[in-house]
Amino acid sequence: MRKVKIFVSEKIACLAGGLMLGLMSVVLLAAMPGSAMAADPSETVSRAVDEIIDILSDPELAGEENSEERYGRVVALVDKFLDFREISMRTMGPRWRDIDDAQRQTFIDLFKKYLERNYIDQVDEYSDEKVVVKNHEIREDRRGNRYARVMTDFVMKDQAVPINYRMREKDGRWLVYDVEIEGVSLVRNFRSQFEPYSFDELIQRLEEGLATGEDALADDDMDFSL
Amino acid sequence: MFDQKGEKTEKSGGRPALWLAPLVLCFFLILPVALPAEEVVSEQDPATGREDFYDPWDEDPLDEDPLDEDPWDDDPWDDDPWAQNARDDKTLADPLEPLNRVFFTFNDRLYVWVLDPVARGYASTLPEDVRLCFRRFFRNLKAPVRVVNHLLQGRVRDSGTELARFTINTTVGIAGLTDPAADTFGIKQRDADLGQTLGIYGLGDGFYINWPLAGPSTLRDSVGAAGDSLVNPLSRLMAQDPRAGAAAYSGRTVNNVSLRLGEYERFTAAAFDPYIAVRDAYWQHRRSIIRDRGKEDSEVPALFSDADEVGP
C-alpha cells in the first residue's frame, strides 16, 4: 500500500517536474523572437503578418532608397514562413513524379524566384489595411501529418477580403503551402497556367520571364491571332 | 469625356448578353445531355510519397459524379493523391478559347488604355470617401437581386436580411450612400446571384465565355446575369432609357475601378499566362461561392456571430 503511494507520488513529482520543464521551455522559446517554436498555426500567421507590417512601417526602411533593404528583409521573412518545396510540388501536380531530383530543385529555385519577384514588390502597396486572424482548423491524415487552415480577413476601407492560409506541420513548425484568396487557391491557379507547357518549356519560359523583367511574360501572351 | 467612352463600353456590353439569352438558354438546356459525364481516372500509384498531394481541404462536394467509383473520393481524410488529380482533370471547358483570347486581349487593352487612365483622372478629382459612398450606392441598388436569389436558394433569413439592409440603407442611409445597416446594426451584406443559384440547383458551368467588355463568365453565369437583369434596377433603367442606363453603368464602372487602381495590372503582371490565370481565378471563385454556400454562418446575423469569432 505504502509502496504504491510512494510510487504514485513519485509519478506526480515526475509529472510536475516534466510540466515545469515544459513550461519553462515554452516560456524560453516564446521569449526568443522568431524561434522555431510555433505552438499554433494562427499564431504563426499573425506573427509573420506583424513582422511584415513592422518592416513596411519602419520609418528607417521607408522610401525608394531603402527598397532593396526592405525587399531583402521581406524575402527573408517569407522564406521562413513558406514551404517552397511543397508549393512547387503541388503546383506541378502529378508531373512531379516524372521529374528527377535535379529537375525538381531547378523548378523549386526558379518558381521561388518567380513568386518573390512578382509578389513581394506588391507588399509595397500596403497602406493602412489590417489583417485579422480569425481562427484555424487542424486536420490530420492517417499518417499523422498535420494540416491547418488559418482563416484571416484582409480588411480594407469598407470591405474585407477573406484570405485563408493552408499550412502543414513540419518538424514542429507550421509552413504555408497554399494561399486562398476569396476561394481562389494560388497553387491551383498556377497549376492551371503551367499545365499546357512541358517541363522544359516551363523552365525556359520561367527563366525568360525572370531575365527580361516582370511584364515580358504578360505581354508575350497577348496576340490577336486566332 | 469618360462618360462617352464608358457609354460605348457598356452599351455594347449589356446588349448582346440580353438578346443572346434565349439562344444561350437553349444551349444550356441541351448541353448537360450532350456532354457525357467525365470519367474519373482513379489510378493507383504504388510508388512512395502517396501523401504528397494530400490536401484535407480538397474535398469538392460538387464532385458528385455518379460514374465516380473512387471509394475515397468523398472522404475528407483521403490521402490518395490521384483522387485529387482526377478532380483536377475536370477543368472548365473552353471550346471558344481562341475567340475568348481575342476578347481577353481587347478587354485588357481597353482596361489599361482607357478605363485605367479615366479612373485615375476621376480619382484625382473626387476624394476617396465620396467614391466609397458611390460604390455603396450602386451596391445598394443591386439589393433586389440578392433578395430574390437568397429566396430562390431557400435562404429565407438571408433574404430578409438583405431586404432589411435595403430598407434601412435606402432610407436612413440616404439612398444607400452610407451603410448604417452594417455600421450601426451589424447586418453585413451577403452576395447572391442567379448564376450561383443555378449552380446550387446543380447546373454545371457549361463552358467559359470571356465577353467583350463584360469579361469572364460561363454559360450558366451568363444566363444568370440575364435573369438577374430582370430585377436589377440599373438594367431596368438600361432597358427603358439606354442613354441614361449606359451613363449609370459607365459611372459605376469608373467609380469602382477608381477604388481598385492597379489591382488588375498587378494580377496580370504576376501571372504566367494572364488569360488562364483570369479564367481559373474566375472559375475557382465561382465554384467556391457555390460550394461554400451555407457552410459559413450566414444564417446567423453578424450582430450575434461576432461574439463567436476568436481573435488572434
Side-chain angles (χ1 to χ4, degrees):
Chain A
M1 191 66 185
R2 206 180 159 80
K3 242 185 176 174
V4 173
K5 239 185 183 170
I6 290 171
F7 175 71
V8 169
S9 56
E10 246 176 20
K11 213 172 179 187
I12 290 171
C14 261
L15 261 171
L19 212 71
M20 282 302 288
L21 266 175
L23 274 173
M24 265 167 65
S25 63
V26 167
V27 171
L28 271 174
L29 280 167
M32 289 195 295
S35 74
M37 174 72 194
D40 80 46
S42 290
E43 231 168 82
T44 312
V45 171
S46 47
R47 198 180 299 169
V49 166
D50 287 347
E51 280 180 53
I52 287 192
I53 291 177
D54 278 350
I55 295 170
L56 295 178
S57 51
D58 188 347
E60 275 179 38
L61 291 171
E64 270 304 305
E65 68 277 10
N66 289 321
S67 68
E68 226 160 272
E69 163 83 8
R70 202 166 54 223
Y71 180 83
R73 290 224 195 164
V74 176
V75 168
L77 189 70
V78 165
D79 282 357
K80 263 197 327 197
F81 183 58
L82 300 185
D83 184 344
F84 283 103
R85 191 187 158 80
E86 195 84 18
I87 291 172
S88 305
M89 192 168 78
R90 288 167 187 273
T91 305
M92 285 297 267
R95 271 198 280 177
W96 188 256
R97 289 181 218 290
D98 306 332
I99 55 177
D100 62 36
D101 280 342
Q103 286 173 313
R104 287 176 181 179
Q105 201 51 50
T106 316
F107 181 77
I108 295 171
D109 293 341
L110 265 177
F111 194 44
K112 178 168 179 268
K113 258 187 228 149
Y114 184 86
L115 290 174
E116 284 172 355
R117 163 81 77 86
N118 285 305
Y119 286 93
I120 289 182
D121 280 350
Q122 297 193 8
V123 297
D124 271 350
E125 298 293 326
Y126 170 82
S127 48
D128 55 353
E129 296 90 350
K130 276 191 201 75
V131 178
V132 180
V133 180
K134 292 192 294 190
N135 50 3
H136 68 256
E137 189 190 345
I138 295 177
R139 288 184 180 180
E140 207 169 294
D141 72 6
R142 41 196 135 172
R143 283 177 180 77
N145 299 315
R146 299 214 295 160
Y147 297 82
R149 179 155 64 170
V150 181
M151 271 70 93
T152 72
D153 269 339
F154 191 72
V155 184
M156 294 181 292
K157 279 272 170 208
D158 69 342
Q159 60 181 4
V161 176
I163 298 182
N164 297 341
Y165 296 89
R166 293 194 188 185
M167 309 172 93
R168 182 175 175 177
E169 195 182 36
K170 272 188 182 168
D171 309 324
R173 294 170 65 208
W174 287 100
L175 296 169
V176 172
Y177 67 81
D178 197 359
V179 183
E180 258 176 7
I181 305 166
E182 284 198 272
V184 179
S185 139
L186 216 60
V187 162
R188 264 169 180 259
N189 195 260
F190 270 107
R191 180 154 67 216
S192 68
Q193 295 176 61
F194 287 169
E195 242 154 34
Y197 300 96
S198 74
F199 181 78
D200 293 331
E201 281 172 343
L202 204 58
I203 296 294
Q204 196 198 334
R205 286 177 66 91
L206 280 172
E207 273 170 348
E208 277 169 16
L210 285 170
T212 51
E214 284 152 357
D215 297 338
L217 277 169
D219 281 336
D220 227 28
D221 278 291
M222 306 284 174
D223 57 337
F224 284 89
S225 63
L226 258 167
Chain B
M1 176 253 185
F2 50 80
D3 256 3
Q4 247 178 356
K5 289 248 161 102
E7 195 175 317
K8 221 167 73 190
T9 303
E10 291 298 337
K11 221 175 187 172
S12 31
R15 278 279 168 99
L18 258 178
W19 60 256
L20 273 176
L23 188 84
V24 157
L25 199 67
C26 282
F27 256 116
F28 196 55
L29 292 174
I30 296 163
L31 201 80
V33 189
L35 288 180
E38 262 169 89
E39 206 170 314
V40 171
V41 194
S42 73
E43 289 173 62
Q44 293 287 325
D45 187 2
T48 50
R50 285 177 86 224
E51 76 277 29
D52 277 359
F53 301 111
Y54 171 71
D55 187 333
W57 283 282
D58 219 31
E59 46 176 331
D60 189 345
L62 283 185
D63 184 44
E64 280 169 353
D65 192 335
L67 290 180
D68 191 342
E69 278 164 16
D70 188 337
W72 300 112
D73 205 38
D74 277 326
D75 184 353
W77 312 113
D78 183 1
D79 66 353
D80 179 358
W82 296 106
Q84 186 207 331
N85 298 335
R87 275 198 283 277
D88 277 358
D89 286 344
K90 285 192 171 177
T91 43
L92 177 59
D94 192 2
L96 304 176
E97 180 167 347
L99 187 66
N100 281 340
R101 274 189 187 267
V102 172
F103 288 144
F104 178 81
T105 310
F106 170 73
N107 288 347
D108 183 85
R109 295 282 188 261
L110 192 75
Y111 187 97
V112 174
W113 290 345
V114 183
L115 197 52
D116 187 76
V118 168
R120 274 176 204 277
Y122 169 79
S124 63
T125 59
L126 274 179
E128 195 177 30
D129 289 338
V130 178
R131 287 180 282 132
L132 283 170
C133 279
F134 288 155
R135 183 163 74 180
R136 282 193 285 266
F137 169 78
F138 284 117
R139 276 188 190 164
N140 185 57
L141 220 52
K142 250 187 119 180
V145 174
R146 294 190 288 271
V147 172
V148 169
N149 279 294
H150 280 307
L151 215 54
L152 289 174
Q153 291 169 19
R155 305 185 73 82
V156 181
R157 208 180 301 181
D158 276 343
S159 180
T161 301
E162 277 302 323
L163 193 63
R165 275 182 54 84
F166 185 60
T167 315
I168 295 169
N169 286 345
T170 310
T171 53
V172 186
I174 318 160
L177 287 171
T178 60
D179 190 357
D183 301 339
T184 314
F185 301 100
I187 318 171
K188 290 190 183 118
Q189 180 177 309
R190 291 220 163 266
D191 284 327
D193 60 79
L194 192 56
Q196 184 196 27
T197 306
L198 294 173
I200 289 167
Y201 288 172
L203 284 172
D205 296 280
F207 52 81
Y208 182 66
I209 308 172
N210 196 340
W211 292 102
L213 313 170
S217 188
T218 60
L219 194 51
R220 182 196 61 219
D221 292 341
S222 301
V223 173
D228 277 339
S229 70
L230 295 176
V231 288
N232 185 352
L234 268 189
S235 314
R236 307 295 298 176
L237 178 68
M238 186 82 169
Q240 274 163 16
D241 184 354
R243 214 162 243 282
Y249 266 117
S250 47
R252 185 185 72 172
T253 307
V254 170
N255 186 67
N256 287 355
V257 167
S258 80
L259 289 160
R260 320 193 65 162
L261 286 175
E263 273 181 32
Y264 173 79
E265 285 92 335
R266 284 198 295 277
F267 178 78
T268 48
F272 188 72
D273 180 339
Y275 170 78
I276 298 180
V278 169
R279 181 181 71 191
D280 178 77
Y282 176 79
W283 190 49
Q284 277 199 54
H285 176 65
R286 295 299 295 179
R287 273 206 315 177
S288 86
I289 63 169
I290 291 165
R291 185 183 57 216
D292 296 338
R293 183 70 179 139
K295 268 192 192 168
E296 75 269 18
D297 52 347
S298 53
E299 286 292 88
V300 187
L303 193 64
F304 307 109
S305 70
D306 275 352
D308 303 334
E309 278 173 13
V310 186

